[in-house]
Every structure is written in structure tokens, then in C-alpha cells.
Amino acid sequence: SNSSTPLLKMAEVKRIGMGQRFSEAAIHNGVVYLAGQVPDQSVDGDISQQTAEVLGMIDMLLNDCGSSRQHLLRVEIFLADLADFDGMNAVWDKWVVPGFAPPRATMQAKLTRPSWKLEVIVTAAVRKRASVSSLSGE
């Protein structure tokens, strides 16, 4: 029956960068959920370099999903060593848009690879003017 159509549409999940094990992002009901973002090119770098790279990756993914750092709903930061807290914050503070600082949690965690100094998980809203359906032409 036609009554089930809205339910199906609401439950649609768009996945971005899907591999066999996980997707880089999922979009559902106007909310973007990013996978944990970790350093790639800067794995031998210090916390400043790794943080800058990861936040740049988040910018690109949010843009691909029709969102931005002005639309962050929540950020979770995992540091391999809490001694890197101030170094990470120095880069974070320049990245966050004034007036748009999101709810955030920072914790220490044993990360999957010893060279990673941080992993960042982001949830964000899709920009109102961006239609999720327009992203499916990939």
C-alpha cells in the first residue's frame, strides 16, 4: 500500500565511500555520521600535523555530504596520549568557526595503529539548501 512509502523514504540511508568493512559516512534523516577519521599522510608527524590533516579530511567529507563545520552536532576526539591535549586544541581552536563550537568529548584511547595520535568522530546536520538526493549522482 502507499502508506508504507513515506516510511521507506525516511529509513533511507545514503552511504559515502563504502568499503567492504565500513563506510566513510552515512546520511540519514538530514544527519551526517562520519566514521572515525585518522591520519593518513601525517602518520609520522606530531599532534599538530595529525590534527590538521584529520580536520581537513573531515572538512572534505562534510562537504561531500552536503554539510560543513558550521553544522557540527557532536565531535568525539580520541587521543592516544592526553599529553597531546593542548597541541590538538591549538589546531582545533583555529579550525572551529566562532559561534559554531559543537558539543565535544575528548578522551584517551589505545588507537588501532601506534602511529596514530588521534581519531575524530563527527556527527553533523546536512545544510538545509543541500538535498541529499542530489548527492546520489556519483
Side-chain angles (χ1 to χ4, degrees):
S1 78
N2 285 345
S3 62
S4 66
T5 308
L7 266 171
L8 288 173
K9 194 156 184 64
M10 253 181 89
E12 268 180 35
V13 176
K14 170 145 183 62
R15 290 177 176 83
I16 310 285
M18 184 170 33
Q20 185 177 343
R21 184 167 285 159
F22 65 90
S23 297
E24 287 298 330
I27 305 168
H28 179 259
N29 269 358
V31 178
V32 178
Y33 303 88
L34 297 189
Q37 298 301 305
V38 293
D40 179 34
Q41 304 300 313
S42 63
V43 288
D44 296 325
D46 63 17
I47 189 63
S48 300
Q49 294 166 311
Q50 289 198 12
T51 303
E53 183 189 9
V54 167
L55 295 178
M57 292 161 71
I58 288 167
D59 277 334
M60 286 190 300
L61 268 172
L62 288 175
N63 187 57
D64 289 348
C65 294
S67 186
S68 74
R69 63 177 100 153
Q70 285 96 327
H71 294 81
L72 298 171
L73 297 174
R74 183 172 72 181
V75 176
E76 296 161 82
I77 300 172
F78 299 89
L79 293 174
D81 185 346
L82 286 178
D84 284 331
F85 186 68
D86 290 341
M88 176 275 296
N89 271 330
V91 178
W92 168 270
D93 290 344
K94 290 183 198 136
W95 181 77
V96 168
V97 179
F100 294 90
R104 192 187 92 171
T106 307
M107 61 220 84
Q108 183 168 324
K110 190 167 182 144
L111 300 178
T112 313
R113 298 210 175 141
S115 56
W116 293 344
K117 296 183 182 304
L118 81 163
E119 181 164 358
V120 181
I121 301 174
V122 167
T123 306
V126 173
R127 286 190 291 263
K128 286 272 191 270
R129 62 188 171 277
S131 146
V132 174
S133 59
S134 72
L135 297 172
S136 47
E138 292 165 355

